[in-house]
Structures are given as C-alpha cells and as structure tokens.
Amino acid sequence: MKVIILAAGQGTRLWKYTRDNPKGMINFIDKPLLKHQIDLFSKLGLHDITIVKGYMAEKINFKNIKYYENDKYASTNMVESLMCASNELNDDCIVTYSDLIFDSSFLSSLLSFEGDMGVCVDIDFEEYWRARLGKKYKEDMESLSISEEKIIDIGRSASSFSEVDGRYVGAIKFSKKGINSLLEYYNKNKLISPLNSLGTRNFDNWHMTDLLQELINEGQIIRPISINRGWLEFDTEEDYENYNKWHNEGSLRNYIGL
C-alpha cells in the first residue's frame, strides 16, 4: 500500500502562517501537519510514502520519504499535483491532503475499505463545522449525496442540508484497478482539456472533487468510507487559531483523538 500526500499549494488563506512555510509545515501540537500524518502512517505499517511539493519545496525534507514537485503549483490544483507522482500510481494507494490531520480510528477506517475507489465521508461533521465556522457554517455546504452505498453527487455548492449526506474529507483509497481507471480517464481527457461538469474550472485546475464527479458520471462506482469525526482541516488562519485554542482549553478531544 502506497501513500501520496499532496502538499504543493500556497495556502493563501493561511497567509499569516504560510508566508515563510508551506501549509503542511505549520506546527500544531509541537510538530508539522505533515509529520502528524507521516508518524501515523508509519505507526500503522505504511512506510511507502510520497509527498508532492510545490510552494517552498525546499522546506519539506523528511527522511525516508519520496518526493515529486509540481512546479506549476500556482496555476494548477490537486489533480495535477497527484499526476506529478504518476510514477507511484501503480499499486493500491491512499491519497491525502497536507492540510489535514487525523487520528488512528480515522485511518483504520480508511485502511479497512476493500473497494476500488473509496472517499472518506464524515457523517457526523455538523457540530465540528458549526464550532469551526460559527454562523457562517451553512454557507460552506458542499453537495455529497449517497445512494445505495455509492456517492452519486459531490462538490457542488449545496443550497440545503438535503443535498449533504456527509462532508468530503481529503482522504481517498484506490485499489490498483481503481488507479488504472483514474489514469485511463485522466490521460483520455488531458488531450481535450474539458471544463468540469459545473463549467467553473479548466482541466489543469480541477479539484479532486471535480475528478471524482466526472468519474461518477462515466459510470465509475465510488463508495463512501463513513467516519465519525477524527480529523481537522487547516484551511484558514481562523482554523489554525481555533484549533490551538481548543487544544489549550481541552476541547479538541471532542473532534479528534490525538
């Protein structure tokens, strides 16, 4: 089982903390976000770890890790960063984002998934989202609809909770067969460079949810890996400051078991 962590982005919404560091190198509870992931993967026996760097690439330099670089990090997004590590896409694989940390229960759920494509979905995210975003939490709803244990819609701005069966988390597991399906789709569409199904992003700047939705539209079965909390996303300066506050107050345990 391989692990690929996507860590190329600039983290502009965390600029107070990313002026001098990649987002994955921000310290939280005495170590960088990336180190939280690396340590947990290693603890559970996953040692074939690759990091895709970009912004301030020279500052990410852990031992016993493979590295690739997305030198177009400022004008591309997650899908292109993943494809920078295409040489590693030849076996069962976990893909995560560098602005996440998660606990062992979360990772165990991810590892136990046995399908070809599985996406972590937090079905108990609402209290975390409300605590994180306050009154704005309903403005940050994205569609994620599940039917017959399959994800059928993902990544649109959702107008109501009826379109939200859980929250997408940037942690995905692919079997070798699933990886081959992803590569086949990507290589075919790279030639024609389509917009996403929403008509909002060109192919080079697709989010991972854009790719997942297009695979679903093509008939690919993508299963939800249901989890109950156990993760944090570091997307904004307010996130980072809130999580440090929760840690100091002792309330962080309500959302993640570190």
Side-chain angles (χ1 to χ4, degrees), residues 48-61:
D48 189 345
I49 301 173
T50 294
I51 295 177
V52 180
K53 307 190 287 185
Y55 174 67
M56 292 194 175
E58 71 283 356
K59 295 203 172 185
I60 302 176
N61 190 27

Side-chain angles (χ1 to χ4, degrees), residues 103-116:
D103 59 24
S104 56
S105 176
F106 178 106
L107 184 53
S108 294
S109 296
L110 183 60
L111 288 172
S112 65
F113 175 74
E114 296 182 349
D116 290 322

Side-chain angles (χ1 to χ4, degrees), residues 50-54 66-70 81 84-88:
T50 294
I51 295 177
V52 180
K53 307 190 287 185
K66 288 181 277 190
Y67 294 101
Y68 294 84
E69 287 194 32
N70 178 1
S81 285
C84 289
S86 59
N87 288 344
E88 304 301 322

Side-chain angles (χ1 to χ4, degrees), residues 195-207:
L195 292 173
N196 63 350
S197 60
L198 302 174
T200 55
R201 284 181 285 273
N202 61 36
F203 193 72
D204 285 346
N205 203 35
W206 274 18
H207 295 181

